[in-house]
Amino acid sequence: MEGGNVNGLDAEVTDVTQTGGIIKGRIGLYGHFLFQGGNIEELKIRILENGVLENGSNGVLKVTELDKNYKDKSYELPPGAAMYQGGVIYYEIKVEPTEGGKASASAETAAAGDPVTLKAVPDAGYVFENWSVISVSDREEIDVTPNPSSQDGEFAMPESSVLVTPRFKKEEVSVPTPGSGSGSSSGSGSSSSGSSSVRSDSGVLYGTWLETDEGIWKFRRTGGGYAVSRWGPIDGLWYYFDGDGYMATGWREVDKKEYYFNPLPDGTRGAMAVSTEVDGHAIGADGAVQEEQ
């Protein structure tokens, strides 16, 4: 419907899209009513089984809903919200794109009080910092409970649509220098039970090595969470962990540069090679393959 006045007195409606005009009277809604513009302030809606009223406009939609006894109750639907039978409103969860990583929510809409799980995956060279969840209706900050073993978080949906923004920051790591690999490693190739590393400087990773059932090594950081999409020195040796948290071995391209990580289970497996030559390629003090002059 694009315009005009419709008196839907005691009418039954399946699917309708309103882009303008006025709809008034009383209707029983069995299907999907998408409101994109116009006026329904004089309309009383009884939402029946499988019925849903969705606000697809940019403004707040004022709605009068009839219960099973045909008693009136007024609601306000923010943009993106949808009302179901019994006056249950599902509010929109909008995840904002941001530099440094990707994020997602467990649902696109949720009713007030429903738990919503958030997941963040930092890009290479970035680390996850925290979550910002803002109620659209009053601009209040919503508390997010972090998961101590990951970048995930959870919050209870308010009576409002929300705007979710993950915060990432660039990882601060120093450039490896010649001889940085001289220390003894706790050894990703030495034991599947793992051991804690020594925290010798501000950039070091510290925690416990863990081996997956597939024989791939990961590093669980003290305080929770795995090293993911990042570099890190561990016991004087430099390692790289991909987006799944897997330790790199062999040749690997990172940020458009080639590096070589020890593939042998000799106690320093995964350690980055520095100031040497591998397979005929000269490797510099920063671990990157040197361009031919």
Side-chain angles (χ1 to χ4, degrees):
M1 172 184 169
E2 295 183 354
N5 298 338
V6 175
N7 190 329
L9 181 61
D10 295 325
E12 293 183 355
V13 176
T14 53
D15 295 305
V16 63
T17 297
Q18 182 183 1
T19 59
I22 300 173
I23 300 181
K24 58 185 179 179
R26 296 193 308 179
I27 63 171
L29 181 61
Y30 285 92
H32 185 202
F33 189 141
L34 176 60
F35 177 85
Q36 295 181 326
N39 189 313
I40 62 170
E41 291 187 14
E42 296 182 53
L43 179 66
K44 296 181 179 181
I45 303 176
R46 185 183 178 194
I47 301 178
L48 302 169
E49 186 177 2
N50 299 322
V52 55
L53 172 63
E54 180 183 358
N55 182 10
S57 72
N58 294 322
V60 175
L61 177 62
K62 295 182 178 180
V63 180
T64 300
E65 198 253 347
L66 298 172
D67 64 16
K68 63 181 180 180
N69 297 317
Y70 289 91
K71 292 184 178 180
D72 298 0
K73 188 170 183 180
S74 297
Y75 297 88
E76 290 189 350
L77 294 186
M83 177 183 286
Y84 293 80
Q85 187 176 34
V88 177
I89 300 175
Y90 276 68
Y91 299 95
E92 183 181 28
I93 303 167
K94 185 176 181 180
V95 180
E96 286 283 275
T98 186
E99 180 182 3
K102 300 176 180 62
S104 61
S106 56
E108 294 182 354
T109 62
D114 284 354
V116 179
T117 301
L118 304 174
K119 183 177 181 63
V121 180
D123 292 337
Y126 287 83
V127 293
F128 174 75
E129 197 168 14
N130 54 37
W131 293 100
S132 170
V133 178
I134 302 294
S135 168
V136 173
S137 62
D138 56 15
R139 309 306 298 176
E140 289 290 326
E141 184 88 22
I142 306 300
D143 290 334
V144 178
T145 302
N147 185 330
S149 63
S150 67
Q151 284 83 231
D152 297 357
E154 184 176 287
F155 69 94
M157 192 69 182
E159 292 184 353
S160 167
S161 297
V162 296
L163 186 63
V164 178
T165 305
R167 295 192 179 111
F168 302 94
K169 65 179 180 179
K170 286 190 175 182
E171 189 170 15
E172 297 179 0
V173 293
S174 58
V175 177
T177 57
S180 64
S182 60
S184 61
S185 170
S186 56
S188 58
S190 60
S191 171
S192 62
S193 60
S195 60
S196 296
S197 67
V198 178
R199 186 176 189 177
S200 58
D201 60 63
S202 59
V204 75
L205 286 173
Y206 58 106
T208 303
W209 286 104
L210 296 173
E211 186 179 22
T212 68
D213 293 338
E214 295 77 22
I216 302 174
W217 288 90
K218 304 178 74 172
F219 193 80
R220 186 180 180 89
R221 302 168 65 182
T222 299
Y226 289 93
V228 175
S229 298
R230 64 161 290 168
W231 290 94
I234 303 173
D235 293 344
L237 301 175
W238 280 81
Y239 297 82
Y240 182 77
F241 301 89
D242 65 17
D244 294 316
Y246 296 157
M247 179 191 73
T249 58
W251 288 105
R252 182 70 65 93
E253 181 179 317
V254 182
D255 295 333
K256 299 181 179 180
K257 292 184 179 181
E258 291 289 336
Y259 298 87
Y260 185 78
F261 302 89
N262 180 20
L264 302 177
D266 59 1
T268 62
R269 185 178 184 183
M272 181 186 71
V274 295
S275 302
T276 187
E277 183 176 305
V278 179
D279 296 338
H281 299 287
I283 296 176
D286 63 352
V289 171
Q290 303 299 291
E291 296 182 2
E292 296 183 2
Q293 301 298 323

